[in-house]
Amino acid sequence: MSVRAAITAVMRNDSMSELLQDCIAFTGDVDTVAAIALAAGSCSEEIRQDIPNHLVTGLENGAYGRDYLIGLDKQLMSLVNKKTS
């Protein structure tokens, strides 16, 4: 159900901020739906990357916080870039 909701949200939104709001509107397992949908949306050139900066800079920075996520994002994107080269 979470994957179906995430795919639905990705298909009907053209910006990350709208995508996040749509995921929240589904209710239920919002964090899982948003994680899947925003991960997919962040890799799409068709979705405007307009997440407000305060949502990124305001993240906690514990063991799996902001710096961990930034590093993970770089690793994942390097894999994507290798496959498209």
Side-chain angles (χ1 to χ4, degrees), residues 79-85:
L79 295 173
V80 170
N81 291 334
K82 285 180 186 177
K83 290 189 181 225
T84 60
S85 298

Side-chain angles (χ1 to χ4, degrees), residues 6-58:
I7 290 170
T8 300
V10 169
M11 291 176 59
R12 66 185 188 191
N13 290 284
D14 60 2
S15 79
M16 293 289 278
S17 60
E18 292 171 352
L19 181 55
L20 178 58
Q21 291 176 29
D22 204 15
C23 291
I24 293 167
F26 280 121
T27 67
D29 195 3
V30 171
D31 54 337
T32 300
V33 173
I36 295 167
L38 292 174
S42 71
C43 296
S44 173
E45 294 178 5
E46 297 175 11
I47 295 183
R48 190 171 55 256
Q49 306 298 307
D50 66 343
I51 291 289
N53 194 41
H54 71 274
L55 291 181
V56 177
T57 58

